[in-house]
Amino acid sequence: MVFDVNLNIMSLGGLALGIGLLVDNSIVVLENSMRLRESDQSLAEAAARGAGEVAMPLLASTLTTVAVFLPIAFVEGVAGQLFRDQALAVTFSLLASLVVSLTLLPMLIARSVPQPVTRTNRPSGTRPSRLRRIITWPWRQMSQGVKWGGRAVRRAVRPVFGFSDRLLQRIQRIYESQLDKNLMHSSRTLFVGAGLFLLTLALALWLRYEFMPQMPAQQLVMDIRLPEGTAFHSVSETAATVEAWLASQPEIEFVFSQVGWARHGSEMARSDQAIEQIHLIAQPEQSVPGTIERLQHELEQHLVLPAGSEYTFNASEGVVQQLLDLDEGDIRIELCGEDLQTLSDLADDLRRLVERIPGIEHVWSDIKAGAPEIRLQIDRDMAGRLGLSAQAIADYIRTSIQGVVATELQEFDKKIGIRLKPAFSEADLGSLFRQQIRPGVAIGSLVRVDQGRSLMQILRQNQARTVTLFANVGERNVGTVVNEIRQHAAGLALPGGYEMHVGGMREEMNRSFNSLAMALVLALALVYMILAAQFESFRHPFVILLSVPMAWIGVIWLLWITSTSVNVLSLIGVIVLTGIAVNDAIIKISFINQLRGEGMDLVPAIHQAGRMRMRPILMTTLTTILGLLPLALALGPGADMGRPLAIAIIGGLVTSTWLTLFVVPVIYYVLEK
């Protein structure tokens, strides 16, 4: 309420994203307390000491994650609009989980095995009364049932727990052996890590870059523009023909069409709304990849339109486009100048150039020729000699075409005008010109006739008239296509005073990418300052921050394996990793420093910290990955939007955890030695 965050798809998505993160603090506290409990300490002592030992590392790891999410809420452009609610939801939930893990959880651990009350230790005179025993009998039976059920569950899952313990012990033995080899050959370990990072940077050049991930279309939107001046009944017949064909397809659930409305007193449809849109929605069981494209191809084969007609197919807008109202096309090319005819000619030339570029699916412009019109100009000199005013002549012509409202019909609180209109055909203007406004004076002798087209709109950009071309890009990289457009357009001679600007989704992509880059730098700076304050050192935070580029290795490789593009959503995942990837390293380095502070040597402290912290590190990583798995699998409609984000975080966590266990101790060893 304070930050005006509602329950919506993004805030709920933030809670889904943070499910794995919320239990990390509790896992660390619980694991440390149980380890101390196994060393013959009481539950209360183990809970208090277990929470106290990891309180500061947990505070640092939580604050680093919060420091990463908060800058996202202030990012400009599309990324900021999308992820503000999500970032705030994750931030508040993480802070709440920290408080719970350090306060409520130790209390629950201390009371998890209460001291049983027996006849020997029950105080005298405390025998419960018969009435109390009767009242508490249902509760005691329920508690007994819960105990029996718990015993049955423990017996059922005991083999699973035994297998996991044996597997974990085997992994731990392999890890200790490999860690010892890495410390002995530290130079080789660092060389392999650096080589893997450089190889990953080379692989990043082969990834596909785009603004937003492509989402499967759920609807087909078709726009048909008939020749200007087409009669309304012809427009309706064309719409009915298309509707009938679409409705005959088994995949179609329903068809909706909107036909341009007729002008008042006229039978001519608006030229800019001949058949504005025809929507179709495939039934869920038929909604498979390629259905929309197949229907488009078949409709093109069966569609028969009058000469001069144009039509376009557009995939239905996804969730992101609906939320942000993005530009019409992937690429937007603006031509600015003074003369509309010159701009129109330049737009036609540029359109032919762009259509020849591979990957361009469709090119269109915002030029609207307007409807054909007949302009009647009154001869004021002739009208003056005959004693007629221009207003009287104009009123007579208007009445002859549109009629006049003779009276009104009162129906409750509404008034309905009743219009009287003489028989008149717009196709035969001669009948109008032969009409006499007074005896012997025909309308045709008082007006001059001129034919032309009206201007539907005049757009301006920076006080200059503008014509815009739009283009959609298929499977190719938008950035590559934009560069080719600029190369082809360089040979187009622009007159003096005319300019061309290429933008659209590419422009928004550059803006969002630059803003995300600044957010990443800010996140790294905030994380470093928090770690420097925690460790009171400038060297140890540097070792921990090396987990971030290690996480980038997994991000790039998993994006390449899953054929996922680099977009705003995956870059948000990279920023989130800046706070998540360092959590394991914080816990490990803190424990090494704690053991060295107790007098242990460097190498034994590294081995001991690795042996004692491996299990909580693996558990926290696994819970976060499992929490993100539904998002990565894109289960359910609309889930594709969170898939790049989840894939980036999962890939980064896998490599950052592995390298935190093997490479970070080596870097710490080299710097400390």
Side-chain angles (χ1 to χ4, degrees), residues 499-620:
E499 298 179 353
M500 184 187 69
H501 173 70
V502 181
M505 191 172 292
R506 172 70 177 182
E507 187 176 17
E508 184 63 38
M509 182 177 71
N510 291 335
R511 179 188 176 192
S512 297
F513 280 17
N514 292 335
S515 184
L516 288 173
M518 293 300 299
L520 178 61
V521 174
L522 178 60
L524 290 172
L526 291 175
V527 169
Y528 184 84
M529 288 188 290
I530 292 173
L531 295 178
Q534 164 68 21
F535 290 96
E536 298 181 354
S537 169
F538 293 104
R539 182 172 52 190
H540 294 162
F542 173 74
V543 176
I544 295 174
L545 280 181
L546 288 178
S547 302
V548 176
M550 297 176 187
W552 295 348
I553 297 175
V555 172
I556 295 174
W557 279 97
L558 193 57
L559 289 177
W560 179 71
I561 293 173
T562 59
S563 300
T564 304
S565 65
V566 177
N567 50 64
V568 170
L569 301 176
S570 56
L571 290 180
I572 290 289
V574 173
I575 297 177
V576 171
L577 273 174
T578 305
I580 300 178
V582 300
N583 292 343
D584 296 337
I586 290 174
I587 297 175
K588 190 162 189 175
I589 298 301
S590 298
F591 214 77
I592 293 175
N593 291 339
Q594 180 181 346
L595 294 176
R596 294 186 66 191
E598 295 175 357
M600 190 175 292
D601 293 335
L602 175 60
V603 175
I606 293 177
H607 280 286
Q608 181 73 2
R611 181 169 53 254
M612 299 175 63
R613 294 293 95 192
M614 188 192 72
R615 183 167 60 176
I617 288 176
L618 293 179
M619 291 174 62
T620 55

Side-chain angles (χ1 to χ4, degrees), residues 81 89 101 183 188 258 352 440 631 661:
Q81 298 179 49
S101 63
L183 292 176
R188 184 178 61 184
Q258 180 177 356
R352 288 189 290 269
L631 285 177
L661 292 173

Side-chain angles (χ1 to χ4, degrees), residues 332-343:
R332 179 187 180 104
I333 308 173
E334 294 179 351
L335 293 170
C336 301
E338 290 300 325
D339 184 62
L340 286 177
Q341 185 59 44
T342 304
L343 290 174

Side-chain angles (χ1 to χ4, degrees), residues 342-488:
T342 304
L343 290 174
S344 179
D345 296 339
L346 290 174
D348 292 339
D349 296 338
L350 186 59
R351 178 174 182 172
R352 288 189 290 269
L353 290 175
V354 173
E355 288 177 341
R356 292 199 296 264
I357 297 177
I360 296 293
E361 292 185 344
H362 180 59
V363 183
W364 71 100
S365 70
D366 61 355
I367 299 177
K368 297 181 179 180
E373 63 183 11
I374 298 176
R375 306 184 185 99
L376 302 180
Q377 186 174 359
I378 299 175
D379 188 346
R380 296 180 179 272
D381 294 337
M382 178 63 71
R385 288 196 296 270
L386 296 176
L388 296 172
S389 65
Q391 183 65 42
I393 298 173
D395 291 342
Y396 184 88
I397 295 175
R398 184 182 303 109
T399 302
S400 300
I401 297 176
Q402 298 181 352
V404 63
V405 178
T407 184
E408 293 180 341
L409 174 63
Q410 184 77 28
E411 184 177 357
F412 297 104
D413 59 338
K414 297 181 181 180
K415 292 183 179 181
I416 302 175
I418 299 176
R419 180 176 296 273
L420 297 179
K421 177 183 175 184
F424 171 73
S425 175
E426 294 181 8
D428 185 13
L429 292 176
S431 61
L432 172 63
F433 297 149
R434 289 192 297 269
Q435 293 183 19
Q436 295 183 0
I437 191 172
R438 65 167 55 169
V441 181
I443 292 295
S445 63
L446 299 175
V447 297
R448 291 192 295 270
V449 181
D450 183 22
Q451 295 186 0
R453 292 185 178 272
S454 62
L455 289 176
M456 299 301 300
Q457 60 183 5
I458 299 178
L459 301 178
R460 292 182 179 271
Q461 184 77 18
N462 296 327
Q463 299 183 356
R465 292 181 175 180
T466 304
V467 172
T468 305
L469 286 177
F470 301 95
N472 285 332
V473 180
E475 297 297 329
R476 295 192 63 193
N477 190 336
V478 177
T480 304
V481 174
V482 168
N483 294 332
E484 292 187 13
I485 290 177
R486 288 172 175 166
Q487 293 175 3
H488 285 73

Side-chain angles (χ1 to χ4, degrees), residues 22 25-26 62 66 89-105:
L22 296 179
N25 295 335
S26 299
T62 302
V66 170
V90 175
T91 297
F92 298 145
S93 60
L94 286 178
L95 293 176
S97 72
L98 176 65
V99 174
V100 170
S101 63
L102 295 179
T103 56
L104 179 62
L105 184 62

Side-chain angles (χ1 to χ4, degrees), residues 188-257:
R188 184 178 61 184
T189 302
L190 297 180
F191 178 77
V192 172
L196 182 60
F197 181 73
L198 295 178
L199 178 63
T200 303
L201 292 182
L203 179 64
L205 301 177
W206 294 92
L207 295 177
R208 183 164 51 93
Y209 293 81
E210 61 183 359
F211 180 47
M212 283 291 175
Q214 296 181 1
M215 303 181 188
Q218 300 296 325
Q219 291 183 343
L220 179 102
V221 180
M222 182 178 184
D223 298 329
I224 300 178
R225 187 183 303 279
L226 298 181
E228 291 81 2
T230 302
F232 185 76
H233 65 85
S234 299
V235 179
S236 300
E237 291 177 357
T238 304
T241 302
V242 178
E243 286 181 6
W245 187 90
L246 293 174
S248 65
Q249 305 303 309
E251 298 89 349
I252 304 304
E253 182 178 354
F254 67 86
V255 179
F256 168 81
S257 66

Side-chain angles (χ1 to χ4, degrees), residues 274-306:
I275 299 179
E276 186 171 344
Q277 283 184 337
I278 298 176
H279 298 278
L280 69 89
I281 299 180
Q283 297 179 358
E285 61 270 16
Q286 299 292 338
S287 182
V288 296
T291 300
I292 300 299
E293 292 75 10
R294 181 182 59 80
L295 289 173
Q296 290 180 0
H297 179 71
E298 293 181 0
L299 181 56
E300 287 180 329
Q301 302 299 321
H302 293 81
L303 188 62
V304 178
L305 296 176

